[in-house]
Amino acid sequence: MSMPEPGKHDTPSASGPLSSRSNRWAMPVFLLVLLVGFGYVFYALGGRLEGVPAVPWVLLTAALLLAFVFEFANGFHDTANAVATVIYTRSMSPQLAVLWSGLFNFAGALMASGAVAYGIIALLPVELITQAGSSTGLAMVFALLLAAIGWNLGTWSLGIPNSSSHTLIGSILGVGLANRFLEPSASIASGIDWGQAEKIGLTLLVSPLIGFIGAAVLLLVMKKLIRSKTLSERASEGSKPPLWIRSLLILTCTGVSFAHGSNDGQKGMGLIMLILVGLVPTAFALNQSGNTSQMTSFRTASTQLEHMLEQHAQRLPEGVDHTAEVTEAVKQHQLRPLTTAALADYLSTISADTAGYRTFADVPSNEVSQLRNNIYITGQALKLIEDSPQVQLSKSDQQVAAHYHRAVKAATEYIPLWVKVAVALALGLGTMIGWKRVVVTVGEKIGRSGLDYGQGVAAQAVTMGTILFADKLGMPASTTHVLSSGIAGTMAAEGSGLQWSTIRNMILAWVLTLPATMILAFVLFIGLEKLF
C-alpha cells in the first residue's frame, strides 16, 4: 500500500469540488421529466377516481401534498447521499448526477416488492390500519406526516445527515402509543407490534456498523490488490478522476441509487397507499388491476387454509363471534385458545362474501373497505398461528399458509405505477435542490481530510450491498447512516482521522430521532384526533 504524499490529505475547499461547470441541458431535461412525470401522475390518479361516488378532495389533496413533501425532504437527506460521492469527486456534474441517480431510483422503485412499505405500516395498531378513513385514521395520517417532515427539515437546515427511516418509524410508534393512551382500558403498548419494531430497530442499528466495518475492510483490500496511488488522490479544481476510477464511482453510485429506490423509496409509497386506502377505499382498498385468476387464486387459498385450520382446532362454540375473537388476538399480538377455530370460521365467511365476484373490481363499493379489512386481519392472525408453538404445522401446512399470504399480498399489498413515479419525482426534486449541503458534509466534514477516490468507491459499494440485502429481508435501511458510517470507516482505516464534531452530531441525530419523532407524533395525534 503506497503512503500518501505530504499535503495530500489537506481538506479541499467546498468551492473546489463543488464548482464544476454545469451541464446546460441538464436542468431543462430535469424540468421536462418533472412535467411529464407529474402529468402522468395526475392523469392516472384522475382515472382511478373517475366514477368514485364521494371523494374528500380537500383532505386527499392536503394529505398527498404532505406525503410528497416528506419524500421531497427525503431527497434532501437520503437520496442526496447517493450522489454525494460522484459530485464531490467530480466524476459527474451535479445536475447530471441527480438525473442519473433519479433514473436508477425510479428503476429501483419499479422493482420494489412493497415488502418494506407494508412492513413499516404493519407497526401501526390494527385498529388504525383498518379504520384509516375515520377521524382517528385521519389524525394518524396527518400526525405521521407532520412529525416526519418537521424533523427532516429541521435536521437538514442544520446540515446533519438524518435518516428518514428513523423519522418515519419514530412517528409511527408515537402515533401507536398515543392511540393506546387514549384508550384507558388498554395497555399503552398492546396495540403496537413490538416484535416487528424489534426487527426493524435491529436492522437500523446493525446496518451502520456493517457500513463502517465493511467499507474499512474493502478499502484496505482494494489498496492491497490495486497498486495505484490514484486511489488516494482527491478531486481538485479543473481535474477529474481517471476513467477507470470514474467508472467505478459512477457504477457504485448507480447501485446505491437503485438500492435506495427499491428500499428507501418504499416509505413514501407506503404512506401514500395508507392515505389512498383510508380516504378513497372504493378505488384503492383492493387491487382492482388483477384478472379472474387473482380472485380464483385467493378463494382457493382461503378454502385450503380453512380446511387446514379445521384439522388443528375443534369447531368454534356457539355464540362466539369469530370476527371479534380474531381481531382481539391480532390487536394483542397473542394467540388465544379459540383463535384458530375462529379464523377457520372467518375464512368461511370471506369465501362466501367473494363467491359471486369474478375479480376484486366487481366487489360493490360499499363492501370494498370491509372486505379489505377482513383479508388483512386474517393474514395477521395466520402469522400468530405460524409463530406459536401451540400449533404444530407440517410442511404441507406451511405451504398452504404461504399460499394464503401470497394471495393476501396480491389483493391488498400493491403499489400502483403512478405512486412509484410520484415518489421517484419527489425524491429527485428534493435531491436537485438540497444536494450541496449533504455533499459538503459527506465529502469534507466526516474526516479530517477530504474524501479520496478509493474511499468513495469502498463506501458506496458497501452501502449498495447493505441496502440491497436489507431489501431482500423486507427491512428498511438508512442510506444516510450506512454511507456516512462507511465513509467514517474508510477514514479510520487510512488513519486520516475523523471530525468528531460532525460524528457527534450524526450520533446525536441518530439517538434523538426516534424519541423526538415519537413525542412529536404523540402530541400531534392527540391534538388532531380532537380536531377531526
Side-chain angles (χ1 to χ4, degrees):
M1 183 189 305
S2 61
M3 296 296 294
E5 300 172 8
K8 191 66 114 176
H9 288 300
D10 294 343
T11 303
S13 65
S15 60
L18 301 183
S19 61
S20 58
R21 186 176 181 180
S22 301
N23 297 96
R24 294 181 178 180
W25 55 265
M27 184 58 72
V29 170
F30 184 73
L31 293 175
L32 179 62
V33 169
L34 286 179
L35 182 63
V36 174
F38 279 118
Y40 166 72
V41 168
F42 294 137
Y43 173 79
L45 177 60
R48 286 296 298 270
L49 294 179
E50 188 177 354
V52 176
V55 178
W57 288 107
V58 174
L59 289 174
L60 179 62
T61 302
L64 288 178
L65 281 176
L66 285 175
F68 293 148
V69 170
F70 171 78
E71 283 305 301
F72 177 75
N74 190 359
F76 287 162
H77 286 291
D78 289 36
T79 316
N81 279 275
V83 298
T85 303
V86 291
I87 293 175
Y88 186 80
T89 59
R90 306 174 69 88
S91 299
M92 300 178 82
S93 69
Q95 290 81 4
L96 180 58
V98 171
L99 280 175
W100 184 262
S101 177
L103 174 63
F104 285 93
N105 261 284
F106 177 59
L110 287 180
M111 300 291 289
S113 64
V116 174
Y118 286 99
I120 293 176
I121 289 176
L123 289 173
L124 288 165
V126 64
E127 60 269 28
L128 288 181
I129 295 176
T130 56
Q131 299 178 27
S134 65
S135 59
T136 302
L138 291 174
M140 167 195 69
V141 168
F142 283 97
L144 286 176
L145 292 168
L146 291 173
I149 291 169
W151 187 255
N152 268 353
L153 291 178
T155 52
W156 173 81
S157 67
L158 298 174
I160 300 173
N162 171 58
S163 166
S164 295
S165 303
H166 284 68
T167 302
L168 182 57
I169 290 165
S171 300
I172 287 175
L173 293 177
V175 165
L177 290 173
N179 181 64
R180 304 311 287 172
F181 177 77
L182 295 176
E183 297 185 25
S185 60
S187 165
I188 191 169
S190 62
I192 296 175
D193 187 347
W194 290 107
Q196 178 73 358
E198 183 179 349
K199 293 177 184 177
I200 290 175
L202 185 62
T203 304
L204 294 175
L205 176 65
V206 171
S207 54
L209 296 177
I210 294 175
F212 184 92
I213 297 171
V217 171
L218 179 58
L219 179 64
L220 294 177
V221 171
M222 288 170 57
K223 291 290 184 71
K224 203 75 174 175
L225 297 178
I226 305 174
R227 301 285 183 170
S228 172
K229 293 183 179 181
T230 306
L231 286 176
S232 299
E233 293 179 357
R234 290 171 177 77
S236 59
E237 185 70 29
S239 69
K240 288 185 178 181
L243 179 60
W244 68 277
I245 283 285
R246 191 157 69 246
S247 299
L248 282 176
L249 286 164
I250 293 174
L251 179 64
T252 51
C253 166
T254 303
V256 172
S257 299
F258 181 87
H260 180 270
S262 68
N263 186 291
D264 214 279
Q266 291 193 53
K267 302 175 187 70
M269 298 176 201
L271 279 175
I272 292 173
M273 292 309 299
L274 194 63
I275 292 166
L276 295 173
V277 170
L279 296 181
V280 276
T282 303
F284 294 102
L286 292 171
N287 186 357
Q288 299 181 11
S289 61
N291 51 30
T292 55
S293 63
Q294 185 185 51
M295 177 65 86
T296 302
S297 178
F298 174 78
R299 277 200 292 261
T300 301
S302 181
T303 301
Q304 289 175 347
L305 180 60
E306 178 189 348
H307 293 331
M308 184 268 281
L309 293 175
E310 288 173 347
Q311 297 173 8
H312 291 276
Q314 298 179 346
R315 293 185 62 83
L316 193 67
E318 292 289 338
V320 177
D321 185 342
H322 60 258
T323 303
E325 176 66 30
V326 172
T327 302
E328 187 61 27
V330 172
K331 286 175 63 176
Q332 301 298 329
H333 305 289
Q334 185 174 7
L335 192 69
R336 293 149 62 94
L338 297 178
T339 303
T340 303
L343 181 56
D345 277 20
Y346 206 155
L347 291 166
S348 178
T349 301
I350 293 176
S351 295
D353 290 342
T354 59
Y357 309 126
R358 296 176 60 254
T359 69
F360 284 111
D362 296 332
V363 178
S365 59
N366 61 332
E367 298 178 13
V368 169
S369 186
Q370 186 58 53
L371 179 57
R372 183 190 189 280
N373 289 344
N374 289 340
I375 293 173
Y376 175 81
I377 290 171
T378 55
Q380 295 300 306
L382 179 56
K383 291 179 182 178
L384 296 178
I385 294 174
E386 291 176 289
D387 294 338
S388 174
Q390 303 172 28
V391 183
Q392 299 296 323
L393 300 181
S394 65
K395 189 173 182 179
S396 61
D397 292 340
Q398 293 171 3
Q399 291 175 346
V400 169
H403 185 196
Y404 187 73
H405 283 309
R406 287 194 296 270
V408 168
K409 289 180 179 180
T412 62
E413 297 185 6
Y414 73 102
I415 301 174
L417 176 60
W418 70 265
V419 172
K420 296 179 179 182
V421 172
V423 167
L425 291 173
L427 286 172
L429 184 59
T431 307
M432 178 63 80
I433 293 175
W435 62 269
K436 189 169 185 177
R437 187 185 294 266
V438 175
V439 170
V440 172
T441 298
V442 167
E444 299 182 354
K445 294 187 177 180
I446 293 178
R448 292 186 179 277
S449 57
L451 186 74
D452 65 35
Y453 300 142
Q455 290 169 337
V457 171
Q460 286 191 153
V462 171
T463 300
M464 172 184 65
T466 302
I467 297 174
L468 286 175
F469 183 69
D471 192 45
K472 290 294 182 183
L473 298 177
M475 292 288 111
S478 168
T479 305
T480 298
H481 286 158
V482 177
L483 182 67
S484 300
S485 298
I487 290 173
T490 62
M491 297 289 179
E494 282 202 328
S496 54
L498 298 171
Q499 293 193 42
W500 288 107
S501 59
T502 301
I503 302 299
R504 184 184 63 247
N505 288 340
M506 288 167 56
I507 294 174
L508 193 62
W510 191 91
V511 171
L512 290 180
T513 292
L514 277 178
T517 49
M518 285 173 69
I519 293 170
L520 275 173
F522 188 99
V523 173
L524 284 167
F525 178 82
I526 292 177
L528 291 171
E529 205 273 338
K530 296 182 182 299
L531 177 64
F532 287 114

